[in-house]
């Protein structure tokens, strides 16, 4: 019964909201002069999902037949929050600076015990020995060795060019695209320890690009904007393990680039 009541209440709320925004009879245009301001401010909340796009080393990151990935990445949902600064360029274009703090966690799994086969520095599965790297002393991987929980806190600074349509009643659609500069406060890039001490290192300074689409809804006292944003890093975030560390971890990853999808809720 409670579930049905919640569904009815949600339907009534949604209907009332749509009628208030889009009804044609006795409709009042909200915040008519807001978009004519040269500068405006606001804030936004984010539900995010960050993941790594991994390119694996053909020896240390893949099975000997090349058909199975030995390293995998699993994303998890998290959150963030940011500020909005809008500069009106003309009737069609706005420039937006939207710095945010993004809290992120990704889990990496390393099923790389089979790399023991390369302990002498050569791949002996080929018809002739192929050199893969320096010799190393094999070790028995524990469950803790096979898992890495990579926590990141990004200062995300996107600069977006927004292109919007005309207002339709109390709403206006838009798309935006731009570039990002991102600082990872938990990168461990300068740490002398590495995966042998369970420290997964990534780059501190990163760059990327973003695309976004949404609809701006005008109320009497504020503008609400639900949107979807995709952010894609352009640089390799991997920091190599130390030379003396056996190739069970970072050596198996040729490159790691973040890709993220976000649900954004803006208030102006």
């Amino acid at each position: 019964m409670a579930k049905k009541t919640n569904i009815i209440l949600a339907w009534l709320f949604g209907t009332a909201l749509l009628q208030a925004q889009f009804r044609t009879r006795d409709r009042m245009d909200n915040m008519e002069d807001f978009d004519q301001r040269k500068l405006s401010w606001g804030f936004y909340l984010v539900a995010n999902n960050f993941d790594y796009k991994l390119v694996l080393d053909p020896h240390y990151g893949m099975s000997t037949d090349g058909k199975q990935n030995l390293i995998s990445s699993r994303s998890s949902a998290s959150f963030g929050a940011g500020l909005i600064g809008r500069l009106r360029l003309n009737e069609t274009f706005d420039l937006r600076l939207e710095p945010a703090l993004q809290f992120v966690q990704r889990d990496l799994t390393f099923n790389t015990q089979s790399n023991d086969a390369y302990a002498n520095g050569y791949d002996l599965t080929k018809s002739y020995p192929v050199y893969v790297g320096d010799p190393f002393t094999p070790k028995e991987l524990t469950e803790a060795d096979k898992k890495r929980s990579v926590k990141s806190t990004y200062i995300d600074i996107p600069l977006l060019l927004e292109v919007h349509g005309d207002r339709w009643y109390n709403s206006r659609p838009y798309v935006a695209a731009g570039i990002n500069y991102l600082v990872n406060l938990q990168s461990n890039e300068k740490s002398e320890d590495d995966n042998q001490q369970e420290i997964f290192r990534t780059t501190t300074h990163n760059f990327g690009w973003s695309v976004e689409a949404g609809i701006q809804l005008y109320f009497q006292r504020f503008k609400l904007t639900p949107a979807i944003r995709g952010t894609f890093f352009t640089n390799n975030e991997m920091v190599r393990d130390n030379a003396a560390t056996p190739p069970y971890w970072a050596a198996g990853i040729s490159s790691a680039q973040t890709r993220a999808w976000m649900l954004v809720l803006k208030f102006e």
Side-chain angles (χ1 to χ4, degrees), residues 79-261:
F79 66 95
L83 301 174
I84 299 170
R86 180 188 69 92
L87 172 65
R88 181 179 183 273
L89 300 179
N90 54 38
E91 292 293 333
T92 304
F93 296 97
D94 288 343
L95 192 64
R96 289 180 172 269
L97 184 65
E98 301 188 351
L101 204 60
Q102 305 279 5
F103 300 96
V104 178
Q105 178 173 327
R106 286 158 286 194
D107 297 310
L108 295 175
T109 301
F110 297 86
N111 293 311
T112 51
Q113 189 70 71
S114 59
N115 287 347
D116 292 350
Y118 308 127
N120 64 1
Y122 287 86
D123 181 357
L124 301 179
T125 65
K126 309 300 181 184
S127 56
Y128 58 91
V130 176
Y131 177 75
V132 266
D134 295 333
F136 64 93
T137 302
K139 65 168 288 185
E140 185 72 25
L141 296 180
T142 66
E143 286 304 311
D145 289 329
K146 296 177 182 180
K147 304 289 184 181
R148 290 290 179 269
S149 180
V150 184
K151 295 183 179 181
S152 305
T153 301
Y154 290 105
I155 300 176
D156 181 9
I157 307 175
L159 181 64
L160 303 172
L161 180 65
E162 175 190 307
V163 183
H164 47 255
D166 296 331
R167 280 185 62 158
W168 184 65
Y169 304 140
N170 283 315
S171 67
R172 186 173 70 170
Y174 77 95
V175 294
I179 57 175
N180 297 60
Y181 170 58
L182 305 101
V183 180
N184 186 355
L185 302 179
Q186 294 179 278
S187 68
N188 294 311
E189 182 176 15
K190 302 300 183 181
S191 174
E192 294 183 1
D193 294 332
D194 64 5
N195 277 291
Q196 190 142 250
Q197 292 79 33
E198 301 185 10
I199 302 296
F200 188 85
R201 302 182 297 190
T202 57
T203 54
T204 301
H205 302 282
N206 304 281
F207 301 91
W209 58 277
S210 291
V211 291
E212 180 178 301
I215 184 167
Q216 299 165 347
L217 304 174
Y218 297 82
F219 295 86
Q220 290 187 0
R221 297 184 180 276
F222 66 95
K223 181 169 72 172
L224 174 67
T225 304
I228 297 176
R229 179 186 298 176
T231 297
F232 309 92
F233 286 30
T234 57
N235 62 288
N236 180 11
E237 297 173 71
M238 276 297 308
V239 173
R240 299 285 104 192
D241 285 336
N242 300 328
T245 298
Y248 297 113
W249 300 286
I253 301 175
S254 296
S255 71
Q257 293 177 296
T258 290
R259 51 190 177 184
W261 292 101

Side-chain angles (χ1 to χ4, degrees), residues 19-36:
Q19 286 181 345
Q21 291 301 108
F22 307 127
R23 67 188 178 207
T24 56
R25 190 192 317 180
D26 301 326
R27 175 181 56 80
M28 180 175 64
D29 289 331
N30 296 324
M31 303 178 69
E32 292 183 89
D33 300 327
F34 181 83
D35 293 321
Q36 302 306 313

